[in-house]
């Protein structure tokens, strides 16, 4: 059975954990502050690593801050939460990110509110996450926090998706084939790498 919503007592726990992501969340913060302050009696915000994000939150909102955590402890803290904020600005750098944070959230029973950048590349993610852009992130958070049944439904779907498609054991054959292809094409890949380095140097 899925855990109750909220998982911990009476307040929904909203997770944000990031390293060097201020350019991604800063455009959202004014609207997020309004939305979170309106939810102040029903939520608490859990922040890992990003002190600037934590300190930018309204004083009226219950907050919990953790410095950078070992991965096992990070997953423990994440698993106590109900909803997570995963904003990614549409930049060339971010477009090369993976969807790992979304998968970590779903595996922990946490519903991600996320940008379409990267996270919408797999159409199945539309069934397990809430997509938003800069203009709608705050509204998406307010709407989701007002609907515990939707949180429970998305949580269950996210856990089922990870179990069916994203367990590490299910990736072994694909990873083995990938690494073997790297070995088989080592000479050509090295030639391409040297060309890229030369282009950067000129």
């Amino acid at each position: 059975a899925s855990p109750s919503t909220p998982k911990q007592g009476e307040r929904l726990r909203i997770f944000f954990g990031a390293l060097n992501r201020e350019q991604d969340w800063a455009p959202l913060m004014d609207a997020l502050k309004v939305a979170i302050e309106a939810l102040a009696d029903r939520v608490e915000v859990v922040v890992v690593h990003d002190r600037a994000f934590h300190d930018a939150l309204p004083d009226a909102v219950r907050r919990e801050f953790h410095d950078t955590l070992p991965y096992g402890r990070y997953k423990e803290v994440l698993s106590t939460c109900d909803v997570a904020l995963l904003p990614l600005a549409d930049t060339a750098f971010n477009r090369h990110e993976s969807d790992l944070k979304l998968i970590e959230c779903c595996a922990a029973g946490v519903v991600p509110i996320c940008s379409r950048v990267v996270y919408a590349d797999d159409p199945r993610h539309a069934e397990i996450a809430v997509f938003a852009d800069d203009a709608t992130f705050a509204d998406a958070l307010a709407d989701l926090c007002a609907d515990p049944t939707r949180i429970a439904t998305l949580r269950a779907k996210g856990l089922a998706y990870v179990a069916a498609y994203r367990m590490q054991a299910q990736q072994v054959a694909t990873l083995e084939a990938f690494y073997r292809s790297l070995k088989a094409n080592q000479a050509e890949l090295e030639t391409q790498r040297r060309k890229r380095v030369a282009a950067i140097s000129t």
Side-chain angles (χ1 to χ4, degrees):
S2 298
S4 61
T5 304
K7 292 180 184 177
Q8 307 272 316
E10 298 179 356
R11 290 175 180 265
L12 286 166
R13 284 166 63 85
I14 301 169
F15 180 86
F16 181 82
L19 176 66
N20 299 327
R21 286 292 176 191
E22 188 164 355
Q23 66 172 352
D24 299 311
W25 60 256
L28 317 175
M29 183 51 79
D30 286 346
L32 275 179
K33 285 164 65 174
V34 173
I36 292 173
E37 189 160 25
L39 295 164
D41 62 338
R42 291 186 283 148
V43 304
E44 56 189 336
V45 183
V46 180
V47 181
V48 174
H49 181 82
D50 197 323
R51 173 64 76 174
F53 184 93
H54 173 273
D55 292 350
L57 294 168
D59 291 338
V61 175
R62 186 181 295 184
R63 293 170 285 177
E64 177 181 309
F65 180 76
H66 300 268
D67 287 318
T68 306
L69 298 172
Y71 187 56
R73 179 60 181 146
Y74 166 86
K75 291 194 294 182
E76 288 177 2
V77 171
L78 175 62
S79 69
T80 69
C81 297
D82 301 282
V83 174
L85 304 176
L86 306 182
L88 276 182
D90 190 3
T91 66
F93 179 84
N94 284 345
R95 287 193 292 274
H96 288 87
E97 289 287 323
S98 77
D99 63 359
L100 176 61
K101 276 189 173 291
L102 182 147
I103 300 307
E104 288 176 337
C105 287
C106 291
V110 179
V111 178
I113 302 174
C114 49
S115 303
R116 290 178 176 83
V117 177
V118 173
Y119 298 120
D121 289 352
D122 187 331
R124 293 173 297 184
H125 292 173
E127 298 296 318
I128 59 176
V130 177
F131 293 132
D133 54 33
D134 285 5
T136 61
F137 233 91
D139 289 340
L141 175 63
D143 291 346
L144 186 61
C145 288
D147 193 347
T149 300
R150 186 181 181 207
I151 292 174
T153 298
L154 290 172
R155 174 190 292 139
K157 288 182 176 181
L159 287 166
Y161 167 73
V162 172
Y165 301 108
R166 299 301 295 266
M167 300 297 287
Q168 189 170 7
Q170 296 160 348
Q171 315 302 318
V172 171
T174 301
L175 287 172
E176 181 182 5
F178 172 69
Y179 289 130
R180 288 186 182 278
S181 73
L182 291 181
K183 180 64 176 175
N185 296 291
Q186 183 176 2
E188 175 59 24
L189 291 170
E190 177 61 15
T191 299
Q192 293 175 15
R193 186 190 72 82
R194 289 176 181 272
K195 287 180 179 178
R196 290 195 299 271
V197 171
I200 294 171
S201 302
T202 56

